[in-house]
Amino acid sequence: MFFASDNGLGASDKVMRAIVEANAGPRLGYGRDDATRQVEQRLSALFEREVGVYMVITGSAANGLALSTLTPPWGIVLCHDESHVMEDECCGPEFFTGGAKLVGIPGAGAKISAAALERTLKKLPRRVPHNAPAHALSITQSTEYGLTYSVDEVEALAGIAKAHDLAVHMDGARFANAVARLGCSPAEITWRAGVDVLSFGTTKGGGLACEAIVFFDPARGADMVRRRMRGGHLLSKHRFLAAQMDAFLDGGHWLELARHANAAASRLAAGLKAVPGVRVPFTPEANGVFPILPLHVEAALKAAGAVFYPWSDRSLPDGVTVGPDEVIVRLITSFATTNEDVDRFVATAAAAATK
Ligand SMILES: *Cc1c(COP(=O)(O)O)cnc(C)c1O
């Protein structure tokens, strides 16, 4: 019953095989190999336009490097209060941008609403030269609470951003889960809706360690070859990044893996909703479930060997609170989660709740 994170599993068999196959023979380093060219073509085909592609090994590097192209060091990046760039990268975005400031926007489910974005922009002081100007908006798809932004929602946010001359970044560590759930095309939910740069993740979805920074206007990423090198994120044996991404995309493997993880989360949420005393404030739209559990149910699950973490209650829907005898936890499913694990978790919770 492993629900701690989607990085607690290895890579998918197909990705692992591709890495082993890429091991044979000499190839040019630093991304000068044919497999890297093929990945660039694949991503251009997937997004239905020519894109600029820069692969790195972590999502934090992808986010920080991507944002460094969108704001000067004296700019502001707007993002959710509890977004990964804000809370989980130890000031990586500030470091890569040379000091830009992140300003958090609250919102249920770690989603930024159009109204909240407007409110924040309206409040920002604009005195020259004292106040830092906003240069970019970063949104996470799917969010840190397992929700998605619909095409309309991305369009609305990007529309406001563009009206204020902000560039739009999408943190897609779990982009696959969002696309699988929304059933939209990757183009529709990104550049057609106004996204300028995407951090396209494979690691959480079944890669080993590979994330691509995708520029929908390749000219915007023109200096990324140097930024990535300078930042220490150009992998010399780059073939191993290309092999992962190629296998991940091949034959819709990425969406197949994401659909499996999403279905496991839905099954888990449906099961937990039926357990007395357990509340599921968000219906999962990706691969995370964030139930509020009575403390004795949490203890019984832990005692039965389930692995998961407590989560924050800062972005719950209005009116939903966690009581003194309760805890909100994060349950993450993956491409490797089995129905047996899900059902055992639910049955353990149900047995503890009704005892
Ligand atoms: C995991 C994650 C990342 C990337 O994390 P790394 O550990 O740096 O690979 C970025 N954004 C979100 C929302 C994540 O969950």
Side-chain angles (χ1 to χ4, degrees), residues 58-61 63 84 89 140 144 171 173-174 204 211:
T58 72
S60 299
N63 286 341
H84 203 273
E89 300 179 4
T140 308
E144 289 78 2
D171 175 352
R174 299 190 182 89
K204 298 245 167 86
E211 316 274 312

Side-chain angles (χ1 to χ4, degrees), residues 5-7 57-63 83-85 88-89 140-144 171-174 199 203-204 211 330:
S5 178
D6 33 14
N7 60 17
I57 63 166
T58 72
S60 299
N63 286 341
S83 60
H84 203 273
V85 288
D88 300 309
E89 300 179 4
T140 308
Q141 176 79 307
S142 49
T143 75
E144 289 78 2
D171 175 352
R174 299 190 182 89
S199 301
T203 310
K204 298 245 167 86
E211 316 274 312
R330 183 184 84 151

